[in-house]
Amino acid sequence: MKHLEQHPLDTEVREKLAILYADHYQRLDMATGELEQLIEEPNQPSKRVAHWLNLLADLQIRHGADYDTCAELWRKLWTDFLIWPSRKWRECGWRV
């Protein structure tokens, strides 16, 4: 945490922190907050944003997020990146 206070734009550390929050501490809400910070950071390449959105989807599925939460993220991916839903979305209950 101290590192991020001094280097708030360190995307690699923030991504690792999000995974730690979700997988070790079972805090999907805090992981989501970290990833949303990355996603909303201006001037990030679309490829990185898509990676973080995909990571968030993976974490949501692994940690049992509800249908509405998964669907909201799916709509963001669809709208922002025009990518076809993957098997992960079907696992979340979304009909494709």
Side-chain angles (χ1 to χ4, degrees), residues 44-81:
Q44 291 295 330
S46 294
K47 183 176 181 176
R48 296 295 296 155
V49 174
H51 166 75
W52 294 320
L53 287 165
N54 187 59
L55 175 58
L56 181 54
D58 286 343
L59 294 175
Q60 286 178 347
I61 291 166
R62 285 201 316 246
H63 295 283
D66 62 29
Y67 174 86
D68 290 335
T69 301
C70 292
E72 181 181 329
L73 183 58
W74 183 88
R75 282 189 288 276
K76 181 167 182 55
L77 275 167
W78 183 261
T79 301
D80 292 355
F81 294 96

